[in-house]
Amino acid sequence: MKRLKRGVSLFASTNPDEYFCGTLKRAVRIYSPEGKHQVQLLGGPDYLRADPNTPLLNELSALQLIDTSESALTLTKRYDASATGRDAAFQQLRMRVGAELTQTTWIDGVTDTGVKVLSARQSYLIEISGSNRVATLLYSLLLASGATQTRYCAKSVAHARISDLDIALAGISPKDIGAPLIKERETHRQDLSLFPLDKEFSYLDELSTPDLAIHCGDLDPEKYAHWMASGQPFLHIPSPIADIAEIGPLVIPGKTPCIRCAHLSRQSHNGAASVPTLPTSLATTSDGYPVIAAHYVAAIAASLALSFCDCLTRNEECAVTGKVTICDYQSLSTPQEVVIARHPHCGCSFNDR
């Protein structure tokens, strides 16, 4: 099987009888009506009729514009044997999955339409700790993107209840104020999840170790030390300061730069510590993220978390570590990405795994 990837388009050229086949990021120039016809075959239901020996096919493959295999979605027992094209729920699933494949099919090296990568997201356990707008949105975004096992850390939000700041986030309404956060969100797990849930599986099993932990807000030093000592991969999203929010770093203990590396790097660069020391009584109390910034930060964080899982699936080095993304509320369209290295004065340099 060889066919154009999802989203590949044919663009007209300023020169007669010339075209471009590809995306807005990369494309192959086509010089003849015959080449145009081959591309149209590769992008349609008659893709098997396309000439497999044409040099054009090699050019398209070189730019990763071609899928060469087709995989089947791996679903829970609910659909393993009984799903058919006439099943309304299955048809709905196909539509939702198609939108997500528009991302996974374009991961470098993927040639099976992105199905294996997307299916594999169901097998990763992502645990969210902390209680703010970003944490609430992350839960919804990750479930809807295929990370079916996403859960809240019960200990971190054991007594958290829905507040005024949660209104209008992921379907939360004023009538929900005062309800336990975890219980209310769990009632929507099936509605939010991209994939069907396994009714025999406990998604809140605290005994299982997460593949990735995400903490939103100030991180307890003891938890941080435990994660570093145990090798627990984690993503930190610290509390915003004034109108600046940060995301990261995503840390693989013993392998990538850690939070202290980021702090030491910043201190070396500008001479100031990363953590404010102004007494609480004199500091301005944070009111949390403005709603647009919360969605923006949550979307970036969810993308980093899924990229980490996708790299595990493909057994590749993770490219989203060693970075801190800085979001200025006044210019959210232009985030700043700061690359950090393992700092020689940080103790994590002596804990290589």
Side-chain angles (χ1 to χ4, degrees), residues 201-219:
F201 186 81
S202 174
Y203 290 97
L204 293 178
D205 178 14
E206 286 289 313
L207 297 178
S208 50
T209 302
D211 296 288
L212 178 68
I214 304 177
H215 184 76
C216 303
D218 299 331
L219 182 56

Side-chain angles (χ1 to χ4, degrees), residues 33-61:
E34 292 77 18
K36 176 186 176 184
H37 177 64
Q38 289 298 313
V39 164
Q40 290 173 327
L41 287 176
L42 288 168
D46 295 328
Y47 62 90
L48 294 175
R49 292 175 51 203
D51 184 357
N53 300 314
T54 176
L56 175 59
L57 196 58
N58 295 331
E59 292 184 61
L60 294 169
S61 296

Side-chain angles (χ1 to χ4, degrees), residues 27-296:
V28 170
R29 187 189 293 269
I30 300 171
Y31 296 95
S32 67
E34 292 77 18
K36 176 186 176 184
H37 177 64
Q38 289 298 313
V39 164
Q40 290 173 327
L41 287 176
L42 288 168
D46 295 328
Y47 62 90
L48 294 175
R49 292 175 51 203
D51 184 357
N53 300 314
T54 176
L56 175 59
L57 196 58
N58 295 331
E59 292 184 61
L60 294 169
S61 296
L63 290 183
Q64 299 188 43
L65 299 172
I66 294 287
D67 280 323
T68 58
S69 61
E70 198 166 21
S71 301
L73 280 173
T74 302
L75 301 176
T76 58
K77 296 176 182 178
R78 177 179 173 185
Y79 285 109
D80 279 348
S82 60
T84 70
R86 295 185 297 273
D87 188 299
F90 187 70
Q91 289 291 347
Q92 183 182 75
L93 174 63
R94 289 182 62 183
M95 292 293 293
R96 295 180 65 193
V97 164
E100 299 307 311
L101 290 176
T102 304
Q103 185 259 323
T104 57
T105 190
W106 290 103
I107 295 174
D108 282 347
V110 168
T111 58
D112 72 335
T113 73
V115 168
K116 285 184 180 178
V117 171
L118 185 60
S119 295
R121 290 179 181 176
Q122 299 172 88
S123 64
Y124 295 108
L125 172 55
I126 301 176
E127 184 175 82
I128 302 168
S129 57
S131 177
N132 58 26
R133 282 177 160 180
V134 168
T136 301
L137 290 167
L138 266 174
Y139 178 79
S140 302
L141 289 173
L142 290 171
L143 280 174
S145 298
T148 309
Q149 294 193 59
T150 299
R151 73 183 183 200
Y152 284 112
C153 176
K155 294 179 181 178
S156 73
V157 287
H159 305 293
R161 293 185 177 274
I162 293 173
S163 69
D164 294 333
L165 284 177
D166 296 313
I167 294 175
L169 295 181
I172 295 177
S173 65
K175 67 180 178 59
D176 299 313
I177 290 178
L181 177 65
I182 292 181
K183 183 176 181 180
E184 194 280 337
R185 290 289 82 191
E186 277 299 309
T187 62
H188 295 283
R189 177 181 289 276
Q190 184 170 342
D191 299 329
L192 294 168
S193 180
L194 172 65
F195 294 112
L197 302 183
D198 187 342
K199 295 180 180 179
E200 300 177 5
F201 186 81
S202 174
Y203 290 97
L204 293 178
D205 178 14
E206 286 289 313
L207 297 178
S208 50
T209 302
D211 296 288
L212 178 68
I214 304 177
H215 184 76
C216 303
D218 299 331
L219 182 56
D220 177 62
E222 290 188 8
K223 174 179 281 190
Y224 175 51
H226 172 69
W227 282 349
M228 291 298 294
S230 64
Q232 170 65 62
F234 65 93
L235 171 64
H236 184 217
I237 308 170
S239 298
I241 299 176
D243 61 349
I244 299 293
E246 295 188 355
I247 308 159
L250 193 154
V251 180
I252 304 175
K255 295 182 180 180
T256 68
C258 68
I259 294 175
R260 188 162 184 265
C261 289
H263 290 176
L264 289 171
S265 296
R266 175 172 295 177
Q267 191 166 337
S268 299
H269 178 70
N270 59 23
S274 298
V275 181
T277 58
L278 191 67
T280 304
S281 59
L282 299 178
T284 301
T285 303
S286 173
D287 293 319
Y289 296 86
V291 68
I292 292 176
H295 281 80
Y296 189 82

